[in-house]
């Protein structure tokens, strides 16, 4: 038997090595396929990124051309200066555009501007482009292409440099072709986008093509390849035949005759395509070391197998070598820096190393089986069941020794009760399973801190923005969106100057950029403009952001709206500076008020001292004689005398009544008698009393009831007295024009309404100094002995006291030479009907 086994031994060894070699070959082939797939994935992601950036740039160019076309699409042509200013503004926004022109329907240039070659403008303005392909494209366009920007094939312009014509049709409201606007674009227009893509280690060529195969721009070596046609290239043909937006291909490139991995991506419906490629030999060079390593490993393994076979031939030597090898393995296994364990298919734990015991706190004797391990370190039943499922799947996945199960994360509890996050990797070793466990608790905590920091930035109440080195916005948080008024999509990709109001000094921006270029942080105030046009002041702190190599890659700004804070600070300064002035002014006002009160008291005393004579003589003499005379036969002239006597008597009666009223008010004995009445009836009573006096003076009396309630509850008699006082004064002091009585509701409540009555006249008006004392007792605008109009000066004081007793107040406003408006407010109770009374 031993001889038979010895004879079959070499053959079995050869078969075994052949199977292992086959497995190694399959593994190498898979590595090769994965390397190509990874490279294509990187190229495709860069192509998608380039497509998005090119699409954004072309969209901005299209919007600009659309605006220029709109200058010529209205029925009324704009002035040439306005059109020229719009074209220059467009050129300032796109530095890589040499000229912009506008033509009529015949192709004749009607407007042109250039910031780079202004000396060529006379020639350009005399040019006719009707023979150009892009002009014919718009002129002969079908409806689907009416409102579309067109990019021409690259051609060499008068400057002996490659250019591309971007154009858009000028059409009338009915869609009729009126001409075109054309911008000559230098292909370098796309350089920054392609250079960003080229920064990726995998990419070594990035280019833009049109569907005719013309290279619009290529980096590197743009001067060599721009304008070159690659339509015959197998990669380009493969792309044209594909119906997808993105294609992958490996083949020889026409541009440099080099075998390449190429990814083509369509840029929307612009007719432009992005091509991102990498040299095949450069990509495959990544695979070579791994393949060579596996070949060498197989060679080593084969040599080892042969050596073991030879040792097997010498059992004693083999036994010794095996014992030494096992001891060495146990030494390496035991001292490994990561936790290791070996179990068999039945779930028995065969071996654990020191790192394993340290990590979980259990010795190998305490963990006889995998199930015991799961019971102790996975207290959560769901977690325990999940780990058991992973363990079983690992045996299935490991049916092929070349296939390694993916590592999984788990939450485990060690013997001391501490919770850890671990990463578990399993690898089958024949009928055994090698398990490697790494404690990633610290890494997960670091990731959580990064996440919390990201949330803190996003949820910060301060506006935060991150830009690239050209100040193009790449990130804004919610606070920035709220303060600026722009949507996030409106901000991303835009330059930060979008918010400039033009009011911040240029020196501020110069200092800002000087600090950033020197790698220093800048802080200061900026005056910016929101989307709705409102301006606000921000305190900004702008800092450079550096990568791991210390190179500045972005700028980071934190902004705080301090508009209200500045306003409050300035207002506080004003109040502080003028506080003493306000105190002085108030002291003077109080002194004047005290003096006025003393004067009013003296006037009242003088009036009351003379009142007895004012009453007795008219009452006893005038009224008595008038009564007797009217009973006798009188001539017309005598009747006139009697009328005048009665007028004097009535005047004296009014004075007496006013004195009695003001005396009752000051004594607190005047009572308000509330009854229900119609407001229209009250207005009619008042106009009946003073209406004829107004007509006699040639004055127009107007009534405006407005929205006042009609059926109300209040003291009709006193309210009529107050309104008669106002209207009588208006008739007395107005020599011409009109008098207006109006009323309207200031406030409505459940039980009452606050109603305001106004009497406006076109009289001589009242000086401001006299206006402030009109509502004091015994005061008139003219208190002199030579005044034109009589009166005791009590009517307005009584009116104000009546208004106050009825829950309101009274006042006046006047402008000398234009007239006066006297008003009073009263609270009138609401009735169940509260509607319109009789008209």
């Amino acid at each position: 038997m031993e001889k038979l086994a010895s004879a079959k031994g070499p053959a079995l060894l050869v078969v075994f090595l052949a199977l292992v070699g086959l497995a190694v070959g399959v593994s190498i082939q898979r590595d090769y396929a994965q390397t190509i797939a990874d490279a294509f994935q990187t190229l495709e992601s860069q192509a998608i990124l380039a497509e998005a950036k090119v699409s954004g740039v072309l969209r901005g160019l299209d919007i600009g051309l659309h605006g220029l076309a709109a200058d010529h699409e209205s029925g009324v042509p704009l002035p040439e200066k306005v059109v020229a200013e719009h074209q220059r503004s467009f050129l300032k926004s796109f530095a890589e555009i040499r000229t912009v022109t506008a033509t009529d329907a015949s192709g004749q240039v009607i407007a042109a501007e250039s910031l780079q070659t202004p000396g060529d403008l006379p020639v350009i303005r005399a040019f006719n482009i009707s023979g150009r392909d892009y002009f014919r494209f718009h002129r002969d366009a079908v409806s689907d292409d009416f409102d579309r920007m067109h990019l021409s094939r690259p051609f060499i312009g008068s400057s002996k440099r490659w250019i591309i014509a971007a154009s858009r049709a000028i059409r009338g409201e009915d869609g009729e072709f009126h001409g075109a606007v054309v911008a000559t674009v230098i292909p370098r227009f796309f350089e920054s986008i392609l250079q960003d893509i080229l920064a990726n280690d995998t990419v070594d060529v990035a280019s833009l093509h049109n569907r005719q195969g013309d290279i619009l721009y290529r980096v590197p070596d743009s001067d060599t390849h721009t304008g070159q046609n690659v339509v015959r290239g197998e990669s380009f043909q493969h792309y044209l035949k594909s119906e997808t937006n993105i294609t992958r291909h490996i083949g020889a490139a026409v541009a440099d005759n080099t075998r390449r991995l190429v990814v083509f991506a369509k840029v929307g419906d612009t007719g432009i395509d992005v091509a991102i490629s990498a040299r095949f030999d450069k990509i495959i060079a990544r695979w070579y070391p791994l393949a060579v390593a596996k070949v060498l490993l197989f060679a080593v393994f084969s040599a080892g197998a042969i050596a073991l076979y030879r040792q097997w031939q010498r059992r004693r030597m083999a036994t010794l070598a095996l014992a030494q090898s096992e001891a060495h393995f146990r030494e390496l296994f035991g001292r490994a820096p990561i936790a290791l364990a070996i179990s068999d298919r039945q779930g028995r734990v065969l071996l654990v190393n020191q790192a394993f015991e340290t990590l979980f706190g259990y010795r190998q004797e305490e963990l006889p089986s995998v199930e015991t391990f799961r019971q102790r370190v996975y207290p959560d039943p769901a977690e325990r069941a999940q780990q058991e499922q992973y363990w079983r799947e690992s045996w299935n996945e490991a049916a092929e020794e070349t296939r390694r199960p993916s590592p999984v994360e788990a939450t485990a509890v060690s013997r001391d009760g501490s919770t850890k996050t671990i990463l578990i990797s399993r690898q089958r070793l024949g009928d055994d399973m090698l398990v490697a466990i790494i404690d990633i608790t610290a890494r997960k905590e670091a990731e959580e801190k990064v996440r919390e920091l990201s949330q803190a930035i996003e949820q910060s109440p301060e506006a935060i923005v991150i830009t690239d080195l050209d100040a193009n916005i790449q990130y804004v948080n919610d606070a920035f969106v709220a303060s600026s008024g722009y949507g996030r999509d409106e901000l991303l990709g835009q330059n930060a100057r979008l918010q400039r109001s033009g009011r911040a000094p240029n020196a501020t921006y110069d200092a800002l950029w000087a600090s950033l270029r020197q790698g220093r942080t800048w802080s200061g105030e900026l005056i910016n403009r929101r989307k709705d046009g409102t301006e606000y002041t921000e305190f900004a702190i702008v800092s450079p952001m550096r990568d791991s190599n210390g190179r500045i890659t972005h700028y980071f700004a934190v902004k705080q709206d301090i508009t209200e804070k500045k306003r409050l600070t300035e207002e506080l300064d004003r109040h502080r500076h003028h506080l003493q002035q306000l105190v002085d002014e108030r002291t003077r006002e109080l002194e004047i008020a005290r003096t006025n009160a003393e004067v009013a008291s003296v006037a009242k005393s003088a009036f009351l001292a003379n009142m007895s004579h004012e009453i007795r003589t008219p009452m006893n003499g005038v009224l008595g004689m008038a009564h007797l005379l009217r009973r006798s036969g009188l001539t017309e002239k005598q009747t006139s005398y009697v009328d005048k006597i009665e007028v004097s008597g009535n005047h004296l009666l009014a004075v007496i009544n006013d004195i009695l009223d003001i005396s009752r008010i000051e004594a607190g004995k005047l009572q308000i008698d509330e009854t229900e009445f119609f407001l229209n009836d009250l207005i009619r009573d008042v106009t009946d009393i003073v209406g004829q006096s107004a007509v006699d003076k040639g004055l127009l009396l107007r009534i405006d009831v407005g929205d006042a309630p009609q059926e109300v509850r209040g003291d009709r008699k006193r309210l009529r007295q107050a309104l008669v006082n106002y209207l009588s004064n208006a008739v007395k002091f107005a020599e011409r024009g009109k008098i207006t009585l109006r009323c309207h509701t200031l406030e409505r409540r459940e039980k009452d309404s606050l109603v305001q009555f106004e009497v406006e006249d076109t009289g001589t008006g009242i000086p401001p100094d006299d206006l402030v004392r009109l509502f004091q007792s015994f005061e008139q605008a003219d208190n002199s002995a030579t005044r034109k109009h009589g009166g005791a000066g009590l009517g307005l004081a009584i009116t104000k006291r009546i208004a106050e007793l009825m829950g309101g107040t009274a006042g006046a406003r006047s402008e000398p030479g234009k007239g006066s408006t006297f008003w009073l407010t009263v609270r009138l109770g609401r009735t169940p009907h509260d509607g319109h009374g009789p008209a």
Side-chain angles (χ1 to χ4, degrees):
M1 292 296 295
E2 291 183 0
K3 291 183 179 180
L4 179 62
S6 178
K8 291 184 177 180
L12 293 175
L13 180 61
V14 170
V15 172
F16 174 71
L17 292 178
L19 292 176
V20 174
L22 178 61
V24 172
V26 171
S27 176
I28 293 173
Q29 178 61 33
R30 287 183 178 178
D31 291 340
Y32 170 83
Q34 187 61 46
T35 300
I36 297 298
D38 290 344
F40 267 127
Q41 183 64 37
T42 299
L43 295 177
E44 185 172 314
S45 64
Q46 294 300 309
I48 292 172
L49 177 60
E51 183 274 333
K53 291 184 176 181
V54 172
S55 179
V57 169
L58 293 180
R59 183 161 55 250
L61 179 60
D62 185 30
I63 292 173
L65 290 175
H66 191 280
L68 295 180
D71 290 347
H72 304 278
E73 290 178 346
S74 62
V76 179
L78 294 176
E80 293 182 1
K81 289 184 178 179
V82 175
V83 173
E85 180 60 29
H86 288 178
Q87 290 182 340
R88 286 192 295 270
S89 177
F90 174 81
L91 290 172
K92 292 177 182 178
S93 299
F94 298 96
E96 289 79 8
I97 294 180
R98 291 173 57 84
T99 61
V100 60
T101 60
T103 75
D104 58 18
S106 68
Q108 182 62 44
V109 175
I110 59 176
E113 286 295 333
S114 174
L115 299 180
Q116 298 184 19
T117 57
D120 296 341
L121 288 177
V123 176
I124 294 173
R125 290 169 177 159
F127 197 65
N128 188 292
I129 65 169
S130 59
R132 298 291 189 183
D133 291 342
Y134 51 82
F135 183 84
R136 292 197 298 268
F137 170 84
H138 295 299
R139 184 188 63 194
D140 304 332
V142 297
S143 59
D144 291 342
D145 295 329
F146 271 17
D147 190 29
R148 175 183 167 189
M149 181 179 72
H150 179 267
L151 295 176
S152 74
R153 300 182 70 169
F155 60 93
I156 297 177
S158 59
S159 63
K160 307 304 182 183
R161 298 170 64 184
W162 286 101
I163 58 174
I164 301 168
S167 57
R168 172 176 271 278
I170 301 173
R171 300 189 180 278
E173 295 181 356
D174 56 356
E176 181 180 358
F177 178 71
H178 288 173
V181 289
V182 183
T184 57
V185 182
I186 301 173
R188 194 174 66 249
F189 185 68
F190 305 102
E191 182 174 15
S192 63
I193 297 175
L194 299 183
Q195 285 292 357
D196 288 343
I197 302 302
L198 202 62
N200 187 278
D201 293 338
T202 301
V203 180
D204 57 14
V205 171
S207 59
L208 293 177
H209 306 75
N210 58 23
R211 299 291 160 78
Q212 292 79 33
D214 299 320
I215 297 178
L216 304 183
Y217 200 72
R218 180 184 189 269
V219 290
D221 304 327
S222 59
D223 293 338
T224 302
H225 297 287
T226 300
Q228 185 177 1
N229 190 280
V230 298
V231 71
R232 293 181 292 102
E234 56 182 273
S235 297
F236 191 78
Q237 286 296 322
H238 175 266
Y239 168 66
L240 291 179
K241 295 175 183 178
S242 173
E243 296 182 356
T244 62
N245 290 333
I246 298 179
T247 62
R248 299 177 174 183
H249 189 262
I250 300 178
V254 174
D256 54 9
N257 199 28
T258 303
R259 183 172 174 79
R260 291 182 172 277
L261 282 71
V262 185
V263 173
F264 278 93
K266 296 180 181 178
V267 182
D269 60 351
T270 62
I272 301 300
D273 312 307
V274 174
I276 308 299
S277 66
R279 291 176 62 96
F280 178 80
D281 54 1
K282 175 183 175 182
I283 299 302
I284 211 64
R286 302 176 182 177
W287 169 77
Y288 285 147
L290 184 60
V292 170
K294 289 191 175 183
V295 171
L296 291 176
L297 182 62
F298 173 68
V300 172
F301 178 81
S302 299
I306 294 173
L308 288 175
Y309 171 73
R310 289 175 178 176
Q311 289 179 3
W312 176 74
Q313 295 290 350
R314 300 180 296 274
R315 290 190 176 185
R316 290 183 179 179
M317 294 180 63
T319 302
L320 179 59
L322 180 60
Q324 293 175 344
S325 176
E326 182 177 353
H328 183 61
F329 168 77
R330 287 182 177 274
E331 180 71 14
L332 294 177
F333 185 89
R335 295 181 179 275
I338 63 174
L340 298 174
I342 298 177
S343 66
D344 60 15
R345 187 182 293 271
Q346 288 72 38
R348 290 173 296 191
V349 176
L350 303 179
L351 189 64
V352 299
N353 68 350
Q354 184 178 351
F356 185 98
E357 294 178 346
T358 302
L359 178 61
F360 296 107
Y362 296 101
R363 299 184 62 80
Q364 181 174 345
E365 295 79 15
E366 300 176 88
L367 302 173
S369 66
V370 175
E371 179 61 27
T372 303
F373 170 78
R374 286 196 289 264
Q375 290 287 344
R376 295 191 174 185
V377 303
Y378 302 131
D380 181 25
E383 180 74 33
R384 191 161 56 246
Q386 185 68 51
Q387 291 303 318
E388 181 178 1
Q389 180 66 26
Y390 286 150
W391 188 78
R392 296 184 182 278
E393 291 176 354
S394 297
W395 284 103
N396 295 332
E397 293 173 355
E400 295 185 54
E401 294 184 6
T402 57
R403 184 174 181 182
R404 180 179 299 172
S406 301
V408 295
E409 288 187 12
T411 301
V413 177
S414 61
R415 187 169 195 161
D416 62 5
S418 61
T419 301
K420 305 177 186 294
T421 302
I422 58 175
L423 184 66
I424 306 173
S425 298
R426 299 179 177 90
Q427 178 62 52
R428 180 180 172 183
L429 301 174
D431 289 334
D432 297 332
M433 183 72 70
L434 173 64
V435 180
I437 302 176
I438 302 175
D439 185 358
I440 61 171
T441 305
R443 190 187 78 185
K444 298 294 290 186
E445 290 175 352
E447 291 175 352
E448 178 63 20
K449 288 181 179 179
V450 171
R451 186 187 65 81
E452 291 174 355
L453 180 59
S454 176
Q455 287 183 341
I457 292 176
E458 184 61 32
Q459 299 174 12
S460 171
E462 307 297 340
I464 296 176
V465 57
I466 298 176
T467 73
D468 60 18
L469 298 183
D470 295 325
N472 296 315
I473 298 173
Q474 295 189 349
Y475 169 83
V476 293
N477 68 348
D478 292 341
F480 189 98
V481 172
S483 65
S484 68
Y486 289 92
R488 195 181 301 272
D489 293 338
E490 295 175 303
L491 290 167
L492 296 182
Q494 296 293 324
N495 195 279
R497 70 173 67 93
L498 172 71
Q499 286 191 283
R500 286 192 184 181
S501 65
R503 295 187 57 220
N506 291 333
T508 299
Y509 294 104
D510 293 342
L512 185 153
W513 282 107
S515 296
L516 295 180
R517 292 189 180 102
Q518 294 172 13
R520 295 185 290 106
T521 297
W522 177 89
S523 62
E525 294 182 5
L526 298 173
I527 303 176
N528 287 331
R529 180 180 290 115
R530 296 187 176 90
K531 182 180 180 180
D532 61 6
T534 59
E535 294 181 354
Y536 65 109
T537 303
E538 287 184 318
F539 181 78
I541 301 176
V542 188
S543 304
M545 296 176 62
R546 291 178 168 83
D547 59 16
S548 58
N549 296 322
R551 182 172 59 92
I552 297 176
T553 60
H554 296 81
Y555 297 128
F556 178 88
V558 180
K559 300 182 177 183
Q560 180 186 21
D561 187 350
I562 61 171
T563 307
E564 183 66 13
K565 183 185 294 184
K566 286 180 66 68
R567 186 189 68 78
L568 292 175
T569 301
E570 293 170 357
E571 184 175 348
L572 181 60
D573 289 340
R574 288 195 300 271
H575 283 299
R576 185 171 62 251
H577 294 157
H578 296 289
L579 180 60
Q580 186 60 43
Q581 179 181 354
L582 294 175
V583 171
D584 294 342
E585 290 177 356
R586 183 57 179 164
T587 302
R588 287 195 297 272
E589 291 172 358
L590 292 174
E591 182 65 24
I592 292 172
R594 185 181 65 81
T595 302
N596 290 340
E598 292 175 353
V599 172
S601 178
V602 172
K604 176 180 178 181
S605 299
F607 174 79
L608 292 176
N610 296 324
M611 186 51 63
S612 60
H613 177 74
E614 185 77 4
I615 293 173
R616 285 195 300 271
T617 302
M619 293 299 294
N620 294 331
V622 179
L623 290 178
M625 294 301 295
H627 178 71
L628 294 174
L629 286 175
R630 189 172 292 280
R631 296 179 60 183
S632 63
L634 301 175
T635 64
E636 182 178 351
K637 186 175 182 180
Q638 292 170 337
T639 301
S640 174
Y641 292 156
V642 172
D643 290 339
K644 292 179 180 178
I645 293 171
E646 289 180 345
V647 169
S648 297
N650 289 330
H651 169 70
L652 292 175
L653 286 174
V655 172
I656 294 170
N657 290 334
D658 286 346
I659 293 173
L660 293 174
D661 285 340
I662 199 68
S663 299
R664 290 193 190 99
I665 290 172
E666 291 181 348
K669 296 181 179 180
L670 183 65
Q671 302 295 325
I672 297 300
D673 184 18
E674 291 190 352
T675 60
E676 293 184 2
F677 63 94
F678 288 105
L679 198 59
N680 281 340
D681 293 342
L682 173 66
I683 299 299
R684 184 183 299 110
D685 292 346
V686 172
T687 55
D688 287 343
I689 294 172
V690 300
Q692 187 60 44
S693 299
V695 172
D696 294 341
K697 292 190 68 174
L699 299 172
L700 175 63
L701 180 60
R702 296 181 58 185
I703 308 297
D704 181 10
V705 177
D707 63 347
Q710 293 301 302
E711 188 172 357
V712 296
R713 183 175 182 84
D715 193 330
R716 175 174 177 172
K717 174 182 176 182
R718 294 301 178 185
L719 182 56
R720 178 178 60 194
Q721 178 183 356
L723 294 178
V724 168
N725 281 342
Y726 274 176
L727 283 171
S728 298
N729 285 343
V731 172
K732 182 190 302 183
F733 293 97
E735 299 298 331
R736 61 183 181 279
K738 63 182 180 181
I739 298 172
T740 302
L741 170 61
R742 65 173 66 90
C743 56
H744 58 276
T745 302
L746 297 180
E747 177 187 1
R748 294 183 186 274
R749 298 194 303 195
E750 181 178 357
K751 295 183 178 181
D752 58 32
S753 299
L754 183 64
V755 181
Q756 177 166 305
F757 296 85
E758 296 180 353
V759 175
E760 180 182 6
D761 64 61
T762 56
T764 58
I766 303 170
D769 293 340
D770 296 332
L771 193 64
V772 297
R773 55 185 176 83
L774 281 182
F775 288 87
Q776 299 175 7
S777 299
F778 310 103
E779 290 287 349
Q780 290 185 332
D782 184 2
N783 278 330
S784 65
T786 59
R787 64 181 183 268
K788 179 179 180 181
H789 304 286
L794 293 173
L796 294 180
I798 292 172
T799 299
K800 184 173 183 180
R801 300 294 180 84
I802 290 173
E804 290 172 349
L805 289 172
M806 295 183 71
T809 186
R813 55 183 181 272
S814 180
E815 186 174 355
K818 293 187 177 181
S820 305
T821 299
F822 286 78
W823 57 268
L824 75 152
T825 58
V826 295
R827 286 204 175 272
L828 299 175
R830 301 181 67 174
T831 65
H833 304 292
D834 197 16
H836 293 282

